[in-house]
Amino acid sequence: MDGSNQTSLLMDFILLGLSAHPKLEKTLFVLILLMYLVILLGNGILILVTILDSRLHTPMYFFLGNLSFLDICYTTSSVPLILDSFLTPRKTISFSACFGQMFLSFAMGATECVLLGMMAFDRYVAICNPLRYPVVMNKVACRPMAVGSWAAGITNSVIQTLQAVRLPFCGDNVINHFTCEILAVLKLACADISINVISMVVANVIFLGVPVLFIFVSYVFIIATILRIPSGEGRKKAFSTCSAHLTVVVIFYGTILFMYGKPKSKDPLGADKQDLADKLTSLFYGVVTPMLNPIIYSLRNKDVKAAVRNLVSQKHLTE
């Protein structure tokens, strides 16, 4: 092992966070802590009702339970680190912990992209081929689809993280972010990162581009089928079965496109403002979106609301 790799293995990173905005850090600490508690509570309740209520033992709620578990894992891999960085102006994180957190974030993010595509296919079959739905979307098919989503996300994360961890980090060790976000970490490597960039572009095409295209095509067929329903009440009922998923998809992918698709400012004076905006957008993607998912599914779904009411009433009866 050469000296540069030895240096990288022994190196600690410093998370800069929002140290330039101490007043904003205090406000965000309280807000993110409250949102994290809502994430744990909301997604935890969704997982509980999808397991305990037999009426929710359907493919749609099976995937929803996976999504809720994924959101809990994703936020738990990053939010405690974010909260700690708000309390400590220059938070130190070890090399291994940094790449461990990067691995978990990558795995959860890629898995969610694939899982949302699977959920779109479920809604497509339910609305466009309702008679074949029990045959196509049965337990034998759903479980491999969910396992495949997790396996694909973890595999991608292993590839990206291993490529990053092999780089030498022998210079600046300050990560200008809340967490070990891969682009912020790669900027610190004292080696050519072109292979990493190419690998990430390929991964983005596979895990962002392909699911988005798949979801788009699915909803083209779904909307076309809904518009052919003769009664207004029938159209409303059909659309209500996929509106929650569509809302989650728009928020999830809309935030990602805003994060990575907007043009970078060439004005040096506006760099700090843009940097702050990028960090806040990253917070929205990593905290607000997982918090909104259970709210969207519970508020727009009668079955989930009924299951939660039954769970609460049963708890009162047992006390």
Side-chain angles (χ1 to χ4, degrees):
M1 185 181 293
D2 59 31
S4 61
N5 281 336
Q6 289 177 357
T7 303
S8 67
L9 289 171
L10 298 173
M11 185 178 189
D12 286 340
F13 291 110
I14 296 173
L15 296 171
L16 201 56
L18 283 176
S19 57
H21 307 272
K23 293 183 179 179
L24 187 59
E25 279 192 330
K26 295 177 182 178
T27 303
L28 285 175
F29 176 86
V30 176
L31 288 176
I32 293 173
L33 178 60
L34 291 175
M35 286 190 287
Y36 182 53
L37 295 176
V38 172
I39 289 168
L40 296 179
L41 179 63
N43 286 291
I45 290 175
L46 271 180
I47 294 172
L48 199 59
V49 296
T50 55
I51 293 173
L52 298 179
D53 197 311
S54 59
R55 293 171 299 178
L56 301 184
H57 292 174
T58 63
M60 182 176 74
Y61 297 110
F62 171 73
F63 288 124
L64 178 58
N66 273 267
L67 182 65
S68 294
F69 178 68
L70 190 149
D71 282 339
I72 289 176
C73 293
Y74 179 75
T75 52
T76 301
S77 72
S78 58
V79 170
L81 188 62
I82 293 171
L83 293 174
D84 193 24
S85 71
F86 287 152
L87 297 176
T88 309
R90 292 171 69 87
K91 168 65 181 175
T92 302
I93 183 171
S94 68
F95 185 88
S96 57
C98 181
F99 281 92
Q101 188 268 318
M102 180 192 295
F103 168 80
L104 291 174
S105 296
F106 238 120
M108 298 304 108
T111 301
E112 183 157 356
C113 291
V114 180
L115 191 61
L116 288 173
M118 298 295 181
M119 295 174 76
F121 179 72
D122 172 74
R123 291 299 83 204
Y124 162 77
V125 178
I127 294 174
C128 299
N129 296 282
L131 297 179
R132 291 181 54 81
Y133 185 76
V135 178
V136 177
M137 299 302 297
N138 53 51
K139 291 182 179 179
V140 177
C142 291
R143 287 173 181 170
M145 290 170 69
V147 171
S149 299
W150 284 90
I154 291 171
T155 301
N156 175 58
S157 185
V158 168
I159 294 172
Q160 302 300 330
T161 306
L162 284 180
Q163 287 182 335
V165 80
R166 294 174 62 184
L167 292 170
F169 296 88
C170 48
D172 188 11
N173 67 334
V174 178
I175 301 173
N176 190 16
H177 212 278
F178 304 107
T179 61
C180 291
E181 199 269 338
I182 189 165
L183 294 178
V185 173
L186 289 179
K187 291 178 181 178
L188 305 181
C190 48
D192 182 19
I193 60 170
S194 57
I195 298 297
N196 301 76
V197 173
I198 293 171
S199 177
M200 287 182 62
V201 170
V202 173
N204 286 339
V205 171
I206 296 172
F207 291 95
L208 287 176
V210 173
V212 165
L213 181 62
F214 184 79
I215 292 169
F216 176 77
V217 172
S218 297
Y219 272 99
V220 168
F221 285 105
I222 289 172
I223 293 171
T225 301
I226 291 175
L227 292 177
R228 287 198 297 266
I229 298 175
S231 67
E233 186 63 28
R235 289 194 295 270
K236 183 179 178 181
K237 183 178 180 181
F239 184 73
S240 67
T241 64
C242 60
S243 59
H245 174 259
L246 184 58
T247 303
V248 169
V249 166
V250 170
I251 294 174
F252 180 79
Y253 285 106
T255 307
I256 292 177
L257 291 174
F258 180 79
M259 283 173 61
Y260 297 108
K262 68 182 190 306
K264 299 297 182 181
S265 173
K266 295 181 180 180
D267 180 11
L269 297 177
D272 290 339
K273 291 183 179 180
Q274 180 175 295
D275 185 57
L276 176 61
D278 289 344
K279 291 179 181 180
L280 294 179
T281 304
S282 177
L283 273 181
F284 181 88
Y285 166 72
V287 181
V288 178
T289 302
M291 182 190 70
L292 292 177
N293 288 352
I295 296 174
I296 292 169
Y297 274 102
S298 60
L299 290 179
R300 302 181 67 91
N301 193 298
K302 294 180 180 179
D303 293 335
V304 173
K305 287 190 285 187
V308 173
R309 284 196 295 267
N310 290 338
L311 181 67
V312 173
S313 61
Q314 288 175 7
K315 183 178 179 181
H316 285 312
L317 289 173
T318 55
E319 290 178 352

